[in-house]
């Protein structure tokens, strides 16, 4: 079933409460991705670079944005079969790094929906702002809902 194209431009409100970025969460994430940069774990190293606290690796914000994108994914009007979804792409446009102590909110918007070769492509933009409403980063998530194989598809492969 095709995704509902009429939902392009639909915006979903931020989840409550805002996501609070903690030092330990940043440390755990940096360890999980194998990035030993001390600016992610050592307040003094971060301070030497002018930051008020440790900062997060650039991809850390994906977890926050994807949590917010759940509203899009679970919207029954969209018609997305999540069991067929793969992560197609991800990119970030930073204004400043995410840092420990930030309380972040994300507003998600369906940017585009496209069909190609029976697959559905869903682009979701997330505007990540701090408590003052200042933009920190914009995220772009591309999800691909793989096509449902039809009986004739498998029959033709056997020929």
């Amino acid at each position: 079933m095709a995704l509902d194209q009429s939902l392009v431009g639909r915006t979903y409100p931020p989840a409550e409460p805002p996501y609070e970025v903690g030092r330990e969460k940043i440390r755990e994430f940096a360890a999980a991705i194998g990035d030993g940069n001390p600016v992610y774990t050592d307040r003094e190293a971060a301070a030497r670079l002018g930051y008020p606290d440790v900062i997060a690796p650039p991809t850390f914000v994906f977890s926050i944005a994807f949590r917010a994108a759940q509203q899009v994914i679970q919207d029954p009007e969209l018609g997305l079969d999540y069991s067929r979804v793969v992560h197609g792409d991800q990119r970030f446009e930073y204004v400043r790094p995410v840092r420990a102590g930030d309380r972040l909110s994300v507003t998600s918007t369906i940017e585009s929906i496209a069909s190609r070769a029976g697959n559905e492509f869903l682009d979701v933009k997330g505007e990540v702002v701090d408590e003052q409403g200042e933009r920190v980063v914009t995220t772009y998530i591309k999800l691909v809902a793989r096509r449902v194989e039809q009986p004739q598809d498998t029959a033709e492969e056997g020929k």
Side-chain angles (χ1 to χ4, degrees):
M1 182 168 109
L3 300 180
D4 186 346
Q5 294 275 339
S6 73
L7 296 183
V8 171
R10 179 176 280 187
T11 297
Y12 299 78
E16 290 294 332
Y19 182 92
E20 189 163 337
V21 180
R23 277 187 213 102
E24 191 57 32
K25 290 177 185 176
I26 292 172
R27 282 187 191 105
E28 288 171 356
F29 187 85
I33 64 171
D35 193 331
N37 188 332
V39 75
Y40 304 143
T41 58
D42 182 343
R43 292 179 76 185
E44 290 177 11
R48 283 192 294 275
L49 294 175
Y51 299 112
D53 208 324
V54 296
I55 61 171
T59 55
F60 177 87
V61 77
F62 173 78
S63 60
I64 303 165
F66 195 72
R67 180 184 98 168
Q70 292 303 307
Q71 291 180 85
V72 177
I73 292 165
Q74 295 172 3
D75 186 339
E77 292 181 50
L78 181 61
L80 181 65
D81 177 359
Y82 194 71
S83 70
R84 305 202 61 78
V85 169
V86 294
H87 186 219
D89 192 22
Q90 181 72 52
R91 67 186 174 92
F92 309 95
E93 293 176 359
Y94 273 89
V95 173
R96 68 161 176 83
V98 170
R99 48 190 183 230
D102 276 341
R103 290 177 48 84
L104 304 175
S105 298
V106 184
T107 301
S108 298
T109 301
I110 297 176
E111 286 280 286
S112 68
I113 297 172
S115 294
R116 290 190 291 271
N119 298 310
E120 299 286 325
F121 295 80
L122 172 65
D123 291 301
V124 179
K125 178 172 96 170
E127 289 291 349
V128 182
V129 299
D130 62 18
E131 280 187 295
Q132 291 73 43
E134 297 292 321
R135 186 168 70 95
V136 175
V137 58
T138 301
T139 66
Y140 298 89
I141 300 169
K142 181 182 294 294
L143 300 176
V144 182
R146 295 168 291 130
R147 73 183 183 134
V148 176
E149 299 242 350
Q150 301 299 318
Q152 69 271 11
D153 293 341
T154 55
E156 287 177 15
E157 287 177 10
K159 291 183 181 180

